[in-house]
PDB file of all heavy atoms in Angstrom:
ATOM      1  N   ASN A 568     115.285 120.202  99.420  1.00  0.00           N
ATOM      2  CA  ASN A 568     115.936 118.969  98.947  1.00  0.00           C
ATOM      3  C   ASN A 568     117.221 119.202  98.130  1.00  0.00           C
ATOM      4  O   ASN A 568     117.849 118.225  97.685  1.00  0.00           O
ATOM      5  CB  ASN A 568     114.975 118.128  98.127  1.00  0.00           C
ATOM      6  CG  ASN A 568     113.852 117.645  99.042  1.00  0.00           C
ATOM      7  OD1 ASN A 568     113.978 117.516 100.228  1.00  0.00           O
ATOM      8  ND2 ASN A 568     112.663 117.438  98.414  1.00  0.00           N
ATOM      9  N   LEU A 569     117.548 120.448  97.860  1.00  0.00           N
ATOM     10  CA  LEU A 569     118.861 120.734  97.188  1.00  0.00           C
ATOM     11  C   LEU A 569     119.973 120.368  98.143  1.00  0.00           C
ATOM     12  O   LEU A 569     119.773 120.348  99.386  1.00  0.00           O
ATOM     13  CB  LEU A 569     118.970 122.233  96.823  1.00  0.00           C
ATOM     14  CG  LEU A 569     117.978 122.742  95.818  1.00  0.00           C
ATOM     15  CD1 LEU A 569     118.149 124.240  95.625  1.00  0.00           C
ATOM     16  CD2 LEU A 569     118.076 122.019  94.485  1.00  0.00           C
ATOM     17  N   THR A 570     121.163 120.117  97.658  1.00  0.00           N
ATOM     18  CA  THR A 570     122.318 119.900  98.531  1.00  0.00           C
ATOM     19  C   THR A 570     122.657 121.187  99.236  1.00  0.00           C
ATOM     20  O   THR A 570     122.295 122.236  98.751  1.00  0.00           O
ATOM     21  CB  THR A 570     123.528 119.366  97.737  1.00  0.00           C
ATOM     22  OG1 THR A 570     123.949 120.436  96.917  1.00  0.00           O
ATOM     23  CG2 THR A 570     123.171 118.205  96.858  1.00  0.00           C
ATOM     24  N   LEU A 571     123.462 121.110 100.263  1.00  0.00           N
ATOM     25  CA  LEU A 571     123.885 122.276 100.997  1.00  0.00           C
ATOM     26  C   LEU A 571     124.638 123.242 100.030  1.00  0.00           C
ATOM     27  O   LEU A 571     124.400 124.415 100.033  1.00  0.00           O
ATOM     28  CB  LEU A 571     124.711 121.936 102.237  1.00  0.00           C
ATOM     29  CG  LEU A 571     125.220 123.172 103.034  1.00  0.00           C
ATOM     30  CD1 LEU A 571     124.116 124.109 103.509  1.00  0.00           C
ATOM     31  CD2 LEU A 571     126.075 122.704 104.202  1.00  0.00           C
ATOM     32  N   ASN A 572     125.516 122.662  99.249  1.00  0.00           N
ATOM     33  CA  ASN A 572     126.279 123.453  98.286  1.00  0.00           C
ATOM     34  C   ASN A 572     125.380 124.206  97.326  1.00  0.00           C
ATOM     35  O   ASN A 572     125.551 125.386  97.052  1.00  0.00           O
ATOM     36  CB  ASN A 572     127.225 122.587  97.513  1.00  0.00           C
ATOM     37  CG  ASN A 572     128.617 122.572  98.076  1.00  0.00           C
ATOM     38  OD1 ASN A 572     128.803 122.894  99.276  1.00  0.00           O
ATOM     39  ND2 ASN A 572     129.588 122.230  97.267  1.00  0.00           N
ATOM     40  N   GLN A 573     124.374 123.506  96.844  1.00  0.00           N
ATOM     41  CA  GLN A 573     123.430 124.157  95.927  1.00  0.00           C
ATOM     42  C   GLN A 573     122.654 125.279  96.617  1.00  0.00           C
ATOM     43  O   GLN A 573     122.439 126.361  96.055  1.00  0.00           O
ATOM     44  CB  GLN A 573     122.426 123.110  95.353  1.00  0.00           C
ATOM     45  CG  GLN A 573     123.069 122.184  94.337  1.00  0.00           C
ATOM     46  CD  GLN A 573     122.114 121.065  93.906  1.00  0.00           C
ATOM     47  OE1 GLN A 573     121.362 120.528  94.698  1.00  0.00           O
ATOM     48  NE2 GLN A 573     122.114 120.757  92.631  1.00  0.00           N
ATOM     49  N   LYS A 574     122.253 124.974  97.862  1.00  0.00           N
ATOM     50  CA  LYS A 574     121.502 126.058  98.632  1.00  0.00           C
ATOM     51  C   LYS A 574     122.400 127.307  98.807  1.00  0.00           C
ATOM     52  O   LYS A 574     121.889 128.424  98.646  1.00  0.00           O
ATOM     53  CB  LYS A 574     121.120 125.525 100.009  1.00  0.00           C
ATOM     54  CG  LYS A 574     119.955 124.535  99.985  1.00  0.00           C
ATOM     55  CD  LYS A 574     119.575 124.189 101.399  1.00  0.00           C
ATOM     56  CE  LYS A 574     118.689 122.974 101.491  1.00  0.00           C
ATOM     57  NZ  LYS A 574     118.455 122.548 102.861  1.00  0.00           N
ATOM     58  N   ILE A 575     123.637 127.059  99.092  1.00  0.00           N
ATOM     59  CA  ILE A 575     124.514 128.215  99.317  1.00  0.00           C
ATOM     60  C   ILE A 575     124.757 128.966  98.026  1.00  0.00           C
ATOM     61  O   ILE A 575     124.777 130.188  97.939  1.00  0.00           O
ATOM     62  CB  ILE A 575     125.866 127.750  99.933  1.00  0.00           C
ATOM     63  CG1 ILE A 575     125.652 127.139 101.323  1.00  0.00           C
ATOM     64  CG2 ILE A 575     126.804 128.941 100.127  1.00  0.00           C
ATOM     65  CD1 ILE A 575     126.831 126.513 101.963  1.00  0.00           C
ATOM     66  N   LEU A 576     124.888 128.178  96.934  1.00  0.00           N
ATOM     67  CA  LEU A 576     124.997 128.794  95.612  1.00  0.00           C
ATOM     68  C   LEU A 576     123.783 129.683  95.268  1.00  0.00           C
ATOM     69  O   LEU A 576     123.938 130.830  94.863  1.00  0.00           O
ATOM     70  CB  LEU A 576     125.143 127.675  94.546  1.00  0.00           C
ATOM     71  CG  LEU A 576     125.160 128.082  93.125  1.00  0.00           C
ATOM     72  CD1 LEU A 576     126.412 128.949  92.750  1.00  0.00           C
ATOM     73  CD2 LEU A 576     125.248 126.808  92.196  1.00  0.00           C
ATOM     74  N   VAL A 577     122.629 129.164  95.527  1.00  0.00           N
ATOM     75  CA  VAL A 577     121.382 129.941  95.329  1.00  0.00           C
ATOM     76  C   VAL A 577     121.362 131.156  96.212  1.00  0.00           C
ATOM     77  O   VAL A 577     121.086 132.276  95.777  1.00  0.00           O
ATOM     78  CB  VAL A 577     120.107 129.070  95.611  1.00  0.00           C
ATOM     79  CG1 VAL A 577     118.860 129.965  95.693  1.00  0.00           C
ATOM     80  CG2 VAL A 577     119.947 127.967  94.537  1.00  0.00           C
ATOM     81  N   TYR A 578     121.815 130.960  97.461  1.00  0.00           N
ATOM     82  CA  TYR A 578     121.801 132.116  98.389  1.00  0.00           C
ATOM     83  C   TYR A 578     122.684 133.294  97.861  1.00  0.00           C
ATOM     84  O   TYR A 578     122.263 134.411  97.832  1.00  0.00           O
ATOM     85  CB  TYR A 578     122.376 131.659  99.733  1.00  0.00           C
ATOM     86  CG  TYR A 578     122.502 132.748 100.724  1.00  0.00           C
ATOM     87  CD1 TYR A 578     121.375 133.307 101.331  1.00  0.00           C
ATOM     88  CD2 TYR A 578     123.749 133.344 101.037  1.00  0.00           C
ATOM     89  CE1 TYR A 578     121.479 134.418 102.224  1.00  0.00           C
ATOM     90  CE2 TYR A 578     123.845 134.404 101.876  1.00  0.00           C
ATOM     91  CZ  TYR A 578     122.744 134.940 102.464  1.00  0.00           C
ATOM     92  OH  TYR A 578     122.828 136.020 103.297  1.00  0.00           O
ATOM     93  N   TYR A 579     123.921 132.946  97.475  1.00  0.00           N
ATOM     94  CA  TYR A 579     124.802 134.024  96.946  1.00  0.00           C
ATOM     95  C   TYR A 579     124.252 134.629  95.651  1.00  0.00           C
ATOM     96  O   TYR A 579     124.357 135.838  95.425  1.00  0.00           O
ATOM     97  CB  TYR A 579     126.228 133.526  96.810  1.00  0.00           C
ATOM     98  CG  TYR A 579     126.955 133.374  98.168  1.00  0.00           C
ATOM     99  CD1 TYR A 579     127.602 132.164  98.491  1.00  0.00           C
ATOM    100  CD2 TYR A 579     126.927 134.405  99.080  1.00  0.00           C
ATOM    101  CE1 TYR A 579     128.250 132.069  99.658  1.00  0.00           C
ATOM    102  CE2 TYR A 579     127.566 134.313 100.293  1.00  0.00           C
ATOM    103  CZ  TYR A 579     128.263 133.138 100.605  1.00  0.00           C
ATOM    104  OH  TYR A 579     128.902 132.960 101.765  1.00  0.00           O
ATOM    105  N   LEU A 580     123.775 133.740  94.797  1.00  0.00           N
ATOM    106  CA  LEU A 580     123.252 134.256  93.493  1.00  0.00           C
ATOM    107  C   LEU A 580     122.037 135.178  93.705  1.00  0.00           C
ATOM    108  O   LEU A 580     121.862 136.170  92.993  1.00  0.00           O
ATOM    109  CB  LEU A 580     122.873 133.107  92.589  1.00  0.00           C
ATOM    110  CG  LEU A 580     124.059 132.299  91.996  1.00  0.00           C
ATOM    111  CD1 LEU A 580     123.524 131.126  91.228  1.00  0.00           C
ATOM    112  CD2 LEU A 580     124.922 133.182  91.101  1.00  0.00           C
ATOM    113  N   GLN A 581     121.192 134.884  94.679  1.00  0.00           N
ATOM    114  CA  GLN A 581     120.008 135.716  94.897  1.00  0.00           C
ATOM    115  C   GLN A 581     120.483 137.037  95.524  1.00  0.00           C
ATOM    116  O   GLN A 581     119.817 138.076  95.266  1.00  0.00           O
ATOM    117  CB  GLN A 581     118.852 135.012  95.657  1.00  0.00           C
ATOM    118  CG  GLN A 581     119.180 134.557  97.067  1.00  0.00           C
ATOM    119  CD  GLN A 581     118.898 135.609  98.111  1.00  0.00           C
ATOM    120  OE1 GLN A 581     117.939 136.343  97.959  1.00  0.00           O
ATOM    121  NE2 GLN A 581     119.741 135.640  99.121  1.00  0.00           N
ATOM    122  N   GLU A 582     121.530 137.061  96.297  1.00  0.00           N
ATOM    123  CA  GLU A 582     122.009 138.366  96.769  1.00  0.00           C
ATOM    124  C   GLU A 582     122.542 139.159  95.567  1.00  0.00           C
ATOM    125  O   GLU A 582     122.286 140.391  95.479  1.00  0.00           O
ATOM    126  CB  GLU A 582     123.129 138.158  97.819  1.00  0.00           C
ATOM    127  CG  GLU A 582     122.678 137.677  99.174  1.00  0.00           C
ATOM    128  CD  GLU A 582     121.817 138.699  99.925  1.00  0.00           C
ATOM    129  OE1 GLU A 582     122.185 139.903  99.891  1.00  0.00           O
ATOM    130  OE2 GLU A 582     120.790 138.309 100.550  1.00  0.00           O
ATOM    131  N   ALA A 583     123.283 138.503  94.741  1.00  0.00           N
ATOM    132  CA  ALA A 583     123.784 139.184  93.506  1.00  0.00           C
ATOM    133  C   ALA A 583     122.615 139.723  92.676  1.00  0.00           C
ATOM    134  O   ALA A 583     122.736 140.774  92.088  1.00  0.00           O
ATOM    135  CB  ALA A 583     124.638 138.226  92.690  1.00  0.00           C
TER     136      ALA A 583
END
Side-chain angles (χ1 to χ4, degrees):
N568 294 334
L569 296 177
T570 65
L571 178 59
N572 264 21
Q573 288 175 320
K574 285 185 195 174
I575 299 174
L576 176 62
V577 168
Y578 175 76
Y579 285 129
L580 289 173
Q581 62 89 36
E582 287 293 319

